[in-house]
Amino acid sequence: MNMAHTTTSIKISASPEQVWQLIGGFDSLPDWLPYIPSSKVSEGGRVRHLANPDGDAIVERLEVFNDKERYYTYSIMKAPFPVTDYLSTIHVKEDTDGKSSLVEWSGSFTPVGVSDKEAMDLFHGIYKDGLEALQQAFLD
């Protein structure tokens, strides 16, 4: 089976430190992602339990956390998505203007029962909606 990949990014008019402060906690999704109502962590903060808007359980494991470089990588252990081998990274970088942030969300996965394009479109949409919600958090 082939791995599929998708990446999206957004520029946010706030410093990387400000953006990372909001999203840098592995259990902080409800603080900036309106369609995730709660996040509960277990296993010393390494596993988070979420629900999607339909109420389906999502369980993710923190694989890498780098506070200095402002990124974390996580895998999905359980979710209603048609993929396996899911690994995703959220990374906050300084934009080239030196005043803003560039937030990149990328993922790789193996589609199951759907085409690569369908799986890529699904996650690209999730990442895009999530980053737009993050940007809105700084506009409000």
Side-chain angles (χ1 to χ4, degrees):
M1 295 207 151
N2 293 333
M3 292 288 285
H5 308 274
T6 190
T7 300
T8 191
S9 61
I10 197 165
K11 182 177 178 175
I12 296 178
S13 296
S15 72
E17 293 79 17
Q18 291 171 304
V19 176
W20 184 244
Q21 185 174 12
L22 179 59
I23 70 170
F26 190 57
D27 63 342
S28 70
L29 284 179
D31 297 338
W32 60 273
L33 201 54
Y35 51 85
I36 300 293
S38 69
S39 172
K40 295 185 175 108
V41 293
S42 64
E43 296 185 30
R46 306 275 313 164
V47 173
R48 69 180 169 195
H49 304 264
L50 312 166
N52 71 8
D54 295 330
D56 298 316
I58 301 170
V59 181
E60 300 172 335
R61 174 178 295 283
L62 181 63
E63 301 293 341
V64 177
F65 183 86
N66 188 319
D67 194 44
K68 183 178 179 187
E69 305 246 348
R70 295 185 296 268
Y71 75 89
Y72 66 81
T73 300
Y74 64 97
S75 59
I76 290 181
M77 300 165 58
K78 175 184 175 187
F81 304 129
V83 301
T84 61
D85 308 317
Y86 178 93
L87 194 64
S88 183
T89 300
I90 295 178
H91 194 172
V92 180
K93 305 173 186 177
E94 185 172 300
D95 195 35
T96 55
D97 66 10
K99 301 174 191 169
S100 304
S101 299
L102 184 66
V103 183
E104 183 178 274
W105 198 346
S106 62
S108 62
F109 36 83
T110 302
V112 176
V114 297
S115 70
D116 286 5
K117 182 178 179 344
E118 288 172 296
M120 289 186 302
D121 288 349
L122 169 69
F123 285 104
H124 188 81
I126 290 170
Y127 299 167
K128 184 176 180 293
D129 289 350
L131 292 179
E132 287 173 356
L134 177 63
Q135 185 180 50
Q136 190 60 45
F138 283 93
L139 296 175
D140 290 343

